[in-house]
Amino acid sequence: VQLQASGGGLVQAGGSLRLSCAKSGGRTFNNYAMGWFRQAPGKEREFVAAISWNGDSTYYADSVKGRFTISRDNAKNTAYLQMNYLKPEDTAVYYCAADNYGVITRSSAMNINEYDYWGQGTQVTVSS
């Protein structure tokens, strides 16, 4: 399984970006739950959002709830992270990840060790 994250960039505070994560290889896309994590310089990688195989369940970190939206298009083998009202503290490298088990709970979604495959990351920089 290969995951390709894209869509990062430089944006002013209050702006928006949409990240994409395209999957290739492995089983069909709807077998996997998908997650987004981020890592700022000098900090550990942290959970951002996750979505179940069919999109029925979504989970968010408290810090992004109400501003970010995770979604997926199984026909396009792609997951998305729409980020609105961006803040400087959102600056980080954003990683997408796939979980072999498509059904997730909030606890499993937030667990970095739950995920089996990782993309290469895309840089998001929010200026004040």
Side-chain angles (χ1 to χ4, degrees):
V1 173
Q2 292 81 45
L3 301 175
Q4 180 71 43
S6 62
L10 173 64
V11 64
Q12 288 189 331
S16 298
L17 284 173
R18 188 175 83 153
L19 305 184
S20 298
C21 177
K23 185 200 79 70
S24 60
R27 298 176 293 160
T28 55
F29 188 58
N30 61 11
N31 281 277
Y32 302 92
M34 298 297 295
W36 287 96
F37 286 73
R38 67 186 181 186
Q39 188 167 19
K43 295 187 176 181
E44 293 187 351
R45 195 170 297 190
E46 66 175 6
F47 169 75
V48 176
I51 188 167
S52 62
W53 69 276
N54 60 358
D56 280 358
S57 298
T58 57
Y59 303 96
Y60 297 92
D62 289 344
S63 59
V64 307
K65 199 172 297 183
R67 300 187 297 121
F68 290 11
T69 303
I70 189 170
S71 62
R72 64 190 297 157
D73 186 335
N74 286 342
K76 294 183 177 180
N77 294 333
T78 302
Y80 304 97
L81 186 68
Q82 178 66 44
M83 306 185 296
N84 298 328
Y85 305 107
L86 282 160
K87 304 175 181 180
E89 50 263 45
D90 295 318
T91 295
V93 177
Y94 283 71
Y95 298 89
C96 62
D99 178 358
N100 271 326
Y101 191 57
V103 178
I104 51 174
T105 63
R106 180 169 180 80
S107 177
S108 66
M110 296 178 66
N111 182 0
I112 195 169
N113 295 315
E114 178 74 17
Y115 295 86
D116 302 288
Y117 308 100
W118 291 84
Q120 85 290 357
T122 184
Q123 175 71 47
V124 172
T125 303
V126 184
S127 63
S128 56

